[in-house]
């Protein structure tokens, strides 16, 4: 059995992949010989797959999986995790933002009796203020809404034990917010604080809209609070309009009568808006039920290189 598996999802990372792998291998070779690196090419349109193939021919520790299209970061990551053989598995990004030098101390911490050691970002370098701000709120809102102890300022960078990974792999959901799923499984977990460096090369694959969709996935996958919010809104509007009606009747008895065009328009628009929002919230959940019932596989593998674990994916 392999001691350590390192899983790296890659999407259009031709500029940085070579640098990342040489740095990662230098760090790992310094303390370990029994490891595998699993690169999952998430349907890249550049030379990422060619680079992976070439690297794997000269180095049997480097293994590659090419997905049939771009399934998204969390799916590429899940795919790599399904194939990991290690007693311990590490997850890092392809762009050196998760320093490979931390894998060793994090694995050592794991061996102190933890099942998950996750990297927590103290500082973020080279990211725009808007990204930092949205990321800040992303983690705090999700923590509040999920009711789970999803750690703040923590991405997917982590080292996990075999039993933590096996627990994770038993979760059959379609919408995969991997860091939330690892929080859900429980066990003893510890944070490892680090300063997050800038991307070594290339551009971020998470523009604001994609980050927003990830946040939406996170909230809807882990929380029923938005649904309750809809109910709560309904109740408060009903109470408010009841009181308003009483007021109008009383005023009417005393002969005071408002001409009502503006207030009527305002309340119709407001209520219409609120109803649409509530329908949208409902739609998010129903849509997910629909997708979950289709039993499609999470991802499709097109090609692999290197000696990979055979994975039978039940839908
Ligand atoms: N990634 C992926 N599929 C995607 C988008 C991103 O596999 O559709 C990978 C990407 O190659 C990188 C990791 O996910 O290894 C994190 O992406 P990125 O560094 O662009 O995100 P950021 O660090 O800017 O949040
Ligand atoms: Mg990055």
């Amino acid at each position: 059995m392999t001691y350590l598996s390192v899983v790296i999802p890659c999407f259009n990372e031709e500029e940085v992949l070579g640098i990342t792998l040489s740095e990662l291998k230098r760090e790992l070779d310094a303390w370990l010989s029994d490891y595998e690196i699993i690169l999952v090419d998430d349907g890249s349109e550049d030379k990422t797959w060619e680079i992976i193939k070439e690297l794997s021919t000269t180095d049997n520790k480097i293994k590659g999986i090419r997905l049939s299209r771009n399934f998204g970061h969390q799916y590429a990551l899940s795919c790599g995790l399904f194939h990991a053989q290690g007693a311990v598995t590490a997850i890092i990004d392809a762009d050196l933002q998760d320093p490979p030098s931390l894998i060793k101390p994090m694995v050592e911490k794991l061996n102190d009796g933890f099942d998950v050691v996750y990297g927590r970002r103290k500082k973020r370098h080279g990211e725009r203020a808007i990204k930092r701000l949205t990321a800040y709120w992303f983690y705090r809102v999700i923590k509040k809404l999920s009711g789970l102890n999803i750690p703040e300022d923590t991405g997917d960078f982590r080292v996990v034990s075999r039993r933590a990974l096996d627990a994770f792999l038993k979760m059959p959901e379609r919408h995969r917010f991997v860091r939330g799923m690892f929080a859900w499984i429980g066990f003893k977990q510890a944070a490892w604080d680090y300063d997050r460096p800038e991307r070594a090369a290339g551009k971020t694959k998470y523009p604001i809209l994609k980050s927003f969709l990830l946040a939406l996935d996170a909230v809807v996958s882990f929380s029923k609070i938005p649904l309750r919010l809809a109910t709560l809104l309904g109740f408060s509007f009903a109470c408010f309009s009841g009181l308003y009606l009483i007021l109008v009747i009383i005023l009417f008895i005393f002969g005071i009568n408002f001409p009502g065009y503006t207030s009527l328009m305002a309340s119709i628009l407001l209520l219409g808006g609120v109803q649409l929002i509530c329908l949208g919230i409902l739609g998010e959940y129903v849509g997910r039920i629909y997708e979950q019932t289709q039993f499609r596989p999470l991802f499709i593998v097109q090609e692999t290189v290197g000696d990979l674990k055979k994975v039978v994916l039940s839908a």
Side-chain angles (χ1 to χ4, degrees):
M1 186 162 171
T2 318
Y3 181 65
L4 174 71
S5 302
V6 182
V7 173
I8 313 181
C10 315
F11 178 52
N12 293 343
E13 301 286 9
E14 63 179 6
E15 280 173 66
V16 77
L17 204 55
I19 315 172
T20 304
L21 278 173
S22 60
E23 164 101 18
L24 175 64
K25 282 201 62 83
R26 194 164 51 79
E27 289 292 340
L28 294 181
D29 286 335
W31 62 284
L32 190 70
S33 58
D34 187 16
Y35 66 86
E36 61 173 359
I37 298 173
I38 301 177
L39 297 158
V40 185
D41 174 12
D42 189 14
S44 299
E45 285 140 14
D46 64 359
K47 295 214 165 56
T48 300
W49 181 241
E50 280 73 41
I51 297 171
I52 295 174
K53 270 206 292 204
E54 196 179 311
L55 288 167
S56 75
T57 50
T58 51
D59 185 338
N60 63 6
K61 292 195 174 90
I62 297 180
K63 305 165 183 188
I65 305 169
R66 178 162 170 80
L67 300 184
S68 61
R69 64 171 171 87
N70 179 242
F71 279 84
H73 177 202
Q74 304 290 300
Y75 295 88
L77 180 54
S78 299
C79 169
L81 292 174
F82 272 106
H83 289 83
Q85 306 182 47
V88 169
T89 298
I91 301 171
I92 66 169
D93 280 356
D95 56 6
L96 284 183
Q97 284 198 290
D98 306 329
S101 57
L102 296 183
I103 295 178
K104 178 171 187 263
M106 284 166 82
V107 170
E108 281 165 0
K109 176 117 186 171
L110 201 70
N111 292 334
D112 285 346
F114 292 95
D115 280 276
V116 176
V117 177
Y118 54 84
R120 188 167 56 192
R121 302 153 184 183
K122 283 275 127 197
K123 285 208 193 92
R124 305 166 73 108
H125 296 290
E127 283 173 326
R128 286 190 302 161
I130 177 87
K131 172 134 187 171
R132 285 211 296 268
L133 189 75
T134 45
Y136 180 87
W137 285 108
F138 173 89
Y139 292 113
R140 277 147 191 88
V141 167
I142 286 165
K143 185 168 180 163
K144 267 272 168 296
L145 282 184
S146 69
L148 260 182
N149 197 15
I150 298 178
E152 289 150 12
D153 303 320
T154 299
D156 292 313
F157 178 36
R158 61 193 59 226
V159 171
V160 302
S161 69
R162 186 74 241 171
R163 71 170 177 180
L165 182 57
D166 284 340
F168 168 88
L169 295 178
K170 285 204 191 98
M171 299 172 80
E173 58 242 67
R174 272 220 66 75
H175 290 269
R176 301 182 80 78
F177 181 57
V178 172
R179 57 201 85 156
M181 292 164 73
F182 273 113
W184 184 89
I185 60 169
F187 296 124
K188 248 177 111 180
Q189 311 207 356
W192 189 279
D193 289 327
Y194 73 109
D195 283 349
R196 188 159 213 238
E198 211 172 326
R199 220 176 208 282
K203 282 204 284 291
T204 175
K205 313 295 178 306
Y206 269 104
I208 298 295
L209 179 67
K210 227 169 165 182
S211 307
F212 174 75
L213 292 178
L214 182 69
L216 197 67
D217 247 351
V219 171
V220 179
S221 300
F222 283 95
S223 169
K224 288 196 286 287
I225 291 178
L227 283 175
R228 300 219 175 108
L229 212 67
T231 320
L232 216 71
L233 267 174
F235 273 121
S236 17
F237 273 96
C239 289
F240 177 74
S241 56
L243 290 175
Y244 184 69
L245 197 69
I246 295 172
L247 182 75
V248 169
I249 292 172
I250 293 174
L251 288 176
F252 183 72
I253 293 169
F254 288 101
I256 305 168
N257 206 351
F258 296 114
Y261 177 73
T262 315
S263 55
L264 207 64
M265 266 323 263
S267 52
I268 288 175
L269 289 177
L270 180 71
L271 275 181
V274 169
Q275 278 172 353
L276 283 181
I277 292 174
C278 294
L279 262 183
I281 294 176
L282 212 65
E284 280 298 324
Y285 287 87
V286 175
R288 267 150 234 257
I289 299 171
Y290 169 62
E291 282 176 3
Q292 189 73 39
T293 54
Q294 287 178 314
F295 293 111
R296 290 185 186 165
L298 291 174
F299 48 81
I300 305 281
V301 174
Q302 178 175 318
E303 202 181 333
T304 64
V305 286
D307 179 25
L308 276 162
K309 181 168 120 182
K310 293 276 165 290
V311 172
V312 184
L313 274 178
S314 56

